[in-house]
Amino acid sequence: MDMNRLHYFSVLVRAGSITKASELLNISQPAVSKAIKTLELELGKELIIPDGRGIAITDYGLRLVEHCDPLLEILSQLSQLDQSPTNAA
C-alpha cells in the first residue's frame, strides 16, 4: 500500500472534494481520482461515492482515515529526523 495514496485520501476527506484536494496537493484532479481508485482496488473497498456534484465518504473510508492519519503523522515525524541535529556521544 502506497503511503502517498493514503495521504491523498486523507487530504481528500478534509477538503471534501477532488477539486479542492488537487489544489491542496498541487496535483491534477485526474491524478487524485486515479490514486483514490487505485487505493480502493488495493483495499477491495469503496472509499468515496458520487453525491450530486461532489462526493461522499463511505463509512469504511471514514474509518480508514481515522486509522491512517496517526500513521501519516508518525511518518512525517520520521522524515524530519534527518533534519534534526543529532546528539553526538
Side-chain angles (χ1 to χ4, degrees):
M1 182 177 311
D2 183 60
M3 290 299 135
N4 285 327
R5 285 192 281 273
L6 285 174
H7 174 67
Y8 294 171
F9 179 65
S10 177
V11 171
L12 173 62
V13 169
R14 273 141 194 72
S17 77
I18 292 174
T19 301
K20 289 178 187 173
S22 70
E23 291 169 1
L24 292 169
L25 293 164
N26 200 30
I27 61 175
S28 70
Q29 291 177 21
V32 174
S33 294
K34 182 178 179 181
I36 301 307
K37 185 55 69 182
T38 301
L39 184 58
E40 288 178 327
L41 290 171
E42 286 176 345
L43 296 170
K45 299 282 187 177
E46 198 171 47
L47 301 174
I48 61 173
I49 52 175
D51 185 26
R53 297 182 134 224
I55 59 163
I57 310 301
T58 64
D59 289 340
Y60 181 83
L62 292 173
R63 287 194 316 271
L64 175 66
V65 83
E66 286 177 15
H67 287 86
C68 76
D69 278 354
L71 174 61
L72 292 169
E73 179 61 31
I74 290 168
L75 290 173
S76 174
Q77 291 171 5
L78 288 175
S79 69
Q80 294 172 12
L81 286 177
D82 291 341
Q83 301 166 6
S84 300
T86 58
N87 295 332

